[in-house]
Amino acid sequence: MVAPVNRLAKAAPATGRASAARAAWMTPAAVAKATGGEIVARGPAAGGVELDSRRDCGGRLFVALRGQRHDAHDHLAEAVRQGAVGLVVDRPAADLPALDRVVPGCAPFVVRVADTGKALLDLAAEHRRRMRAKVVGVTGSCGKTSTKEWLGAVLAAAMPTVRSPGSYNNQVGVPLTLFAIQPDTRAAVVEIGTNAPGEIAQLTAVVRPDIAIVTCVAAAHLQGLGSIAGVAKEKSALPAGLPDDGLCILNGDDPNCRAMAAATKAEVQFFRVGGASAGGPADWFATDVRFHALGTTFLLQGKRPVTLARTGTHSVYNALAVIAAASRLGVAEEVILAALASAPPASRRLEPKVAGGVTVFDDTYNMNPQSAAAALQALAGLAPGGRRIVVFGEMRELGDDGPALHRQVGAEVARTRQDLLVVLGDGAAPIADGALAGGMPAAGVHRVPDQDAALALLRGVVRPGDRVLCKASNGVRLDRLVDRLVADLGGQPAAGEASPA
């Protein structure tokens, strides 16, 4: 257990030269040992890692990653000009620029490796090994970013904490989160994502979590993972990577999550909505869930009232996972619940934006069938008022099951009795088919080819009091439609507005 240091203390990822002075273990020898690399040139130790030569690299180690469109090896001189004191490269020394001439008297050390992407993971693993912070890994098909954000806010109210910024949940984002951990950090919350088999196992080996949270298993990234069973197998790699004295926190209402208890030797705790015995045992449970103007309330363990500033049963699940993890780390219950009550919504996850008397729920970060159903349920649970308008774009990476899963979402639109459905693009067309087959009146279903057409339609039908839900896979960039709609309505997101994120 980690005892809280100061309930008011907060710690964000350190940046620039200040952080470089705090944990400067990255000598040429240490970097070469951690990565299996070769020292090409020696120099002083680095105190952090940077990947972008356009940013302040002062006192840091610049790792030259290769991407599909860019190769950071082409910007080594710029990194040195920005203050980098070390470089990790995979080009032969003869192919490197004359780095000793970039900034006279400030030649960086250079370590050559076989693969800079793997080297980044190796360095992050070594940094994690050297730090004493307790680490919580969070994964799941839905809700992992909101859970990570809430847990980070709760822990930061009690101890120096870092958490993944945005959705830094891949082979680049996870290392950057780990590098933010400093000697005085007491807790870190790391989001771990995937879209191909083996990724979670690889990242878990780097993160070495003390606590694991799996929010749910749903039809997401099926193109890479093949099936729900494939998703469950991939997610189970996080519990499997826990130490024997760790804690595994699982959604007890999700059979695929519950089955993951067999994948770990760590202690397992389940969270559920509906009571401790309704459908299986639960260590943490919520009863009497109610939606209202301020968001959602429920009774924790059937006794203690909890208020969330967001609407939706999925938010209750996220909160229970947070309570379980924070309690394990020694945070007092009153601190946990107070922080949850004031936790801000994650960006573009059912984020409310009020303009011209219309509330636009921006849920454009991503979409899969389960997250779509949760958003529709949240919208349906709002107090009576204006109309409920749904704007859906395509769900991607669903493989051969895509059309059927889109129709399933359309049926859910009809079942939750939304007033108007706008379906954008050919890929999302089966949503309209599913809504009509589910009994939604044809006059309430609109198919449009693109965002311009969707915006023109909404301009003509939206009126004060309406609630508009916008959701699609991230690649659809439906966030652009939201921004244009909010601007046209003449307003900005309302500060402190209750949100079903």
Side-chain angles (χ1 to χ4, degrees):
M1 178 175 288
V2 175
V5 176
N6 182 336
R7 291 181 182 176
L8 299 179
K10 296 185 179 181
T15 58
R17 291 176 173 81
S19 68
R22 300 181 66 189
W25 66 265
M26 296 178 190
T27 64
V31 171
K33 182 177 179 180
T35 61
E38 170 194 5
I39 300 174
V40 175
R42 296 185 179 274
V49 170
E50 182 56 67
L51 307 179
D52 189 341
S53 63
R54 297 167 297 183
R55 300 180 59 179
D56 179 9
C57 301
R60 291 178 170 248
L61 177 67
F62 182 77
V63 180
L65 297 182
R66 297 177 185 269
Q68 292 181 342
R69 300 179 180 176
H70 303 286
D71 185 348
H73 290 83
D74 297 333
H75 305 284
L76 295 177
E78 180 59 26
V80 175
R81 279 190 287 269
Q82 293 279 25
V85 297
L87 304 174
V88 174
V89 302
D90 58 27
R91 281 184 182 175
D95 295 340
L96 301 178
L99 298 169
D100 57 339
R101 301 176 187 174
V102 175
V103 179
C106 297
F109 75 79
V110 180
V111 173
R112 185 188 174 202
V113 298
D115 181 340
T116 51
K118 182 180 182 300
L120 181 68
L121 293 171
D122 292 338
L123 288 167
E126 176 63 13
H127 186 78
R128 162 71 176 104
R129 187 187 70 79
R130 290 170 178 261
M131 298 296 120
R132 66 176 183 139
K134 292 294 185 180
V135 177
V136 184
V138 183
T139 195
S141 299
C142 311
K144 58 182 175 291
T145 299
S146 292
T147 300
K148 175 263 300 181
E149 287 293 323
W150 289 8
L151 180 56
V154 167
L155 295 178
M159 64 188 77
T161 301
V162 300
R163 63 182 183 267
S164 304
S167 289
Y168 276 33
N169 61 20
N170 59 16
Q171 286 90 343
V172 175
V174 166
L176 289 177
T177 301
L178 294 176
F179 290 131
I181 300 173
Q182 294 298 326
D184 62 347
T185 303
R186 303 297 300 277
V189 187
V190 183
E191 182 178 335
I192 301 176
T194 181
N195 56 21
E199 289 186 347
I200 289 184
Q202 179 190 43
L203 293 174
T204 298
V206 174
V207 172
R208 293 174 52 235
D210 300 286
I211 298 173
I213 296 173
V214 185
T215 60
C216 68
V217 172
H221 303 298
L222 295 185
Q223 191 168 355
L225 299 174
S227 65
I228 291 289
V231 176
K233 181 179 179 181
E234 177 68 8
K235 300 295 183 185
S236 69
L238 179 59
L242 285 170
D244 291 356
D245 61 351
L247 174 63
C248 181
I249 301 170
L250 299 172
N251 184 338
D253 283 332
D254 185 323
N256 286 301
C257 283
R258 188 173 280 276
M260 291 179 194
T264 182
K265 295 180 180 179
E267 176 188 348
V268 176
Q269 293 183 2
F270 295 108
F271 58 93
R272 299 195 64 259
V273 172
S277 61
D283 302 274
W284 302 93
F285 61 91
T287 63
D288 301 275
V289 177
R290 302 180 188 277
F291 304 148
H292 48 75
L294 297 178
T296 302
T297 57
F298 64 90
L299 295 181
L300 176 63
Q301 311 299 72
K303 298 177 181 179
R304 178 146 190 185
V306 178
T307 298
L308 305 174
R310 271 153 282 186
T311 299
T313 304
H314 59 296
S315 294
V316 179
Y317 283 105
N318 296 344
L320 291 172
V322 168
I323 292 167
S327 296
R328 178 60 166 241
L329 294 175
V331 184
E333 187 173 279
E334 61 268 22
V335 174
I336 297 172
L337 301 188
L340 279 174
S342 59
S347 177
R348 300 195 187 275
R349 274 95 168 167
L350 273 174
E351 182 183 4
K353 299 178 177 180
V354 179
V358 176
T359 302
V360 180
F361 289 105
D362 182 350
D363 202 18
T364 58
Y365 175 74
N366 220 335
M367 181 177 178
N368 61 46
Q370 184 161 329
S371 68
L376 290 168
Q377 181 189 50
L379 196 63
L382 295 175
R387 296 170 302 165
R388 289 173 287 133
I389 300 172
V390 177
V391 182
F392 276 161
E394 180 183 2
M395 298 182 291
R396 296 182 174 175
E397 298 185 49
L398 295 179
D400 294 340
D401 294 330
L405 292 171
H406 281 81
R407 286 192 292 272
Q408 176 184 311
V409 167
E412 188 67 11
V413 173
R415 191 192 69 79
T416 53
R417 296 182 175 276
Q418 309 299 334
D419 296 298
L420 190 70
L421 170 64
V422 180
V423 175
L424 191 153
D426 292 339
I431 296 177
D433 299 333
L436 293 170
M440 190 169 185
V445 178
H446 298 266
R447 306 171 196 251
V448 295
D450 53 35
Q451 293 196 23
D452 289 339
L455 183 61
L457 174 65
L458 292 170
R459 283 170 175 162
V461 300
V462 172
R463 56 181 182 250
D466 286 345
R467 282 73 65 93
V468 182
L469 167 66
C470 296
K471 189 170 181 63
S473 283
N474 188 268
V476 176
R477 296 306 310 270
L478 203 62
D479 56 314
R480 296 171 178 171
L481 173 64
V482 169
D483 293 343
R484 293 169 68 191
L485 178 61
V486 170
D488 281 359
L489 291 169
Q492 296 295 323
E497 182 75 12
S499 163

